[in-house]
Amino acid sequence: MAGRLPRRILKETERLLNEPVPGIKALPDEQNARYFHVEVNGPKDSPFEGGCFKLELFLPEDYPMAAPKVRFVTRIYHPNIDKLGRICLDILKDKWSPALQIRTVLLSIQALLSAPNPDDPLANDVAELWKSDEVRAIETAKTWTRLYAFSEGVKS
Amino acid sequence: MESDEEGIYDVESDASINYNSSDDGIYSEGENTAHGEANDFMDEPTSYKCLTSDQIFNYMMKVVDEVNAILQLPPHITCILLNHFKWDKEKLMERYYEGDQDKIFEEAQTINPFRLKGKVVSSNTNNITSFSMQSTKRPLTTQEVCDICYLPSQHMNGLQCGHFFCIDCWNEYLRIKIIDEGQGQKIACPANDCNILTDYETILSLLRGSDIKTKYHQRLTDGFVMSHHLMKWCPSPGCSVVVKVTTAGTRNVTCICGHAFCFHCLQPIHEPVRCPLLKKWLRKCNDDSETAHWISANTKECPKCRATIEKNGGCNHMICQNKSCKFDFCWICLSAWSPHGSSWYNCNRYDANDSVAARTAQEKSRAALNRYLFYCDRYMNHRQSLELEHKLYSKIKFKMEEMQQHNMSWIEVQFLKKAVDILCKCRNTLKYTYVFAFYLRSNNQATIFEANQKDLEMATERLSEYLERDVTTDELSNIKQKVQDKAKYCEGRCEALLRHVYEGYDMDLWEYLDE
Ligand SMILES: [Zn+2]
Ligand SMILES: [Zn+2]
Ligand SMILES: [Zn+2]
Ligand SMILES: [Zn+2]
Ligand SMILES: [Zn+2]
Ligand SMILES: [Zn+2]
């Protein structure tokens, strides 16, 4: 890894390991301290309940001035997450503030699973079904969760 | 430089300004005096000014001060309010005095200084200077930890919203906003979910490095310049000068960087054609990719011996370089040059009669293409000639030095440079007459225009030919008279053509084709 790790990243990592967020696991990669292996449990009472979703999170060179790069690795049926796992979340884009943290980003992603927002979509066809036939969309999301995200989850 | 800044304020302070005040001259058109006194329809050099980014900043602060004489707020807060109201002083005052002041501060993303620290103070009884002492620095008894880098720092700074960060993080944050994102007035506090805007006073006290401060000055004034319909940034790449005109009618301006442009559409000066028509033409030229070969063609074959000839001067009178041929011909129409000097010189007009025979639909479309290519070719020719004519300046400089060695004073030999100025201006006008002519529907006035165009074209070619070729061989004693005569005639033709076109605009004489 090029360059010394900023104190900020060390501190954040330390806190993520010592006081983990309930339902979220974030482990730095052994070879690259800017790369995190993340697992998020599907929130209770959401179509993603019972699933364990793998994500990757990378802190770019200019972090925290620039937002971390986050992507779902596990397939997920969600109007704000596309086929490649990219997430439509304002704080990862124009609403990023250098005072935000990895922890707040992951909490926001967890909240997005509880409250999908089909009016600000990234995956267009998913959002369309979500708006026209919510029951069927939720069924599909549940099916996908069973298909792709049922393995051993994070114990909270 | 003090007096210059004064001069700027004079211009703005209102309508009753003397535009001829002598100190205005510094940033005016300067040495380029090619626009003669007789050009009453041209833009006078004194009708606009060039302002550097520092001058613009000072000018903006002057407007802030004017408003502040009434509002009595800290200037950096007034600046944010004015920017929110797109620098409409009256609108700000109106809103400020008619209703909910807190709402105005909220909308403008700043904090009402009268409500700071919970105490409400009346604006009338308060003294402005006490605000500027309310520094953004918090008195620190112990070290604090910055929310961005997580390092303890003695130099924590923040806006009135109370979010504090260390000076290193501030600088890193501002560098991204100013340099990478090109922002100025709209930089918000770095804290999450805080939309309070930074003010110039805080930023300038935080920024380290003069380069970034200059950039900040520029970006900070962007909104001010944009909101001001009499000011525009010079479109030349890398130039940070603002051109300010005194009346909305001013079109042709020359920035102190040397770039001459149309103040309305920011294209290079394009007399006599008007901005919308030019825009249409430029779009057409870009779209017609199949005719791109016409546009890029810089070489032609000698019509007699077929030797390839490259145009290397602005003059359209070509002499074949093939020693055994030496054919004299016209670069534009490729016919022999000899008749071009006589009255039936017919090179400037597309002869519709030539295509009369073409009646079938297929041929009609070809005729339209040929018509376009005809005008396009002439437009491109003059453009290319104009580029080459610029090389004449260095050539003429040698001649001027030579003449000075023969008992002529520096001032006496300036006529040569002036002649090249006139030549370039006439070429530029000729270039755009073909755009105008392309869209022009024929009528009596159009016929007069074409005659004027023909005259100007001949006069320009003669001047070009003399300056390019004969000036090197002619007797020194003859040169001055000949050059001045030709240049004066040429300038006269140009003025006549422009005057006629502008009269036509005024009297609505021009009819256009829907191309
Ligand atoms: Zn810091
Ligand atoms: Zn703030
Ligand atoms: Zn310029
Ligand atoms: Zn224009
Ligand atoms: Zn030849
Ligand atoms: Zn010709």
Side-chain angles (χ1 to χ4, degrees), chain B residues 330 333 340 347:
Chain B
C330 167
C333 67
H340 283 71
C347 195

Side-chain angles (χ1 to χ4, degrees), chain B residues 146-151 165-169:
Chain B
C146 166
D147 266 351
I148 294 177
C149 63
Y150 290 8
L151 290 168
F165 305 97
C166 79
I167 191 146
D168 293 327
C169 287

Side-chain angles (χ1 to χ4, degrees), chain B residues 302-307 309 320-322 324-327 329:
Chain B
C302 165
K304 208 169 180 183
C305 74
R306 300 282 150 207
I309 296 177
C320 177
Q321 297 296 296
N322 180 348
S324 58
C325 172
K326 287 191 169 178
F327 180 55
F329 66 98

Side-chain angles (χ1 to χ4, degrees), chain A residues 86-104:
Chain A
R86 292 175 301 195
I87 308 160
C88 181
L89 189 62
D90 56 358
I91 59 156
L92 292 177
K93 291 168 190 153
D94 55 317
K95 287 282 164 55
W96 173 253
S97 148
L100 285 167
Q101 308 167 8
I102 302 173
R103 172 182 295 270
T104 40

Side-chain angles (χ1 to χ4, degrees), chain A residues 12 21 40 51 61 63 67-68 75 86 89-91 105 110 132 139 142 145:
Chain A
E12 277 201 69
V21 189
V40 175
E61 197 53 48
Y63 178 82
R75 289 192 69 183
R86 292 175 301 195
L89 189 62
D90 56 358
I91 59 156
V105 167
Q110 204 180 36
S132 62
E139 267 321 302
K142 281 182 181 166
T145 304

Side-chain angles (χ1 to χ4, degrees), chain B residues 234-236 239-241 255-259 261:
Chain B
C234 166
S236 182
C239 182
S240 60
V241 166
C255 175
I256 38 170
C257 76
H259 184 62
F261 63 98

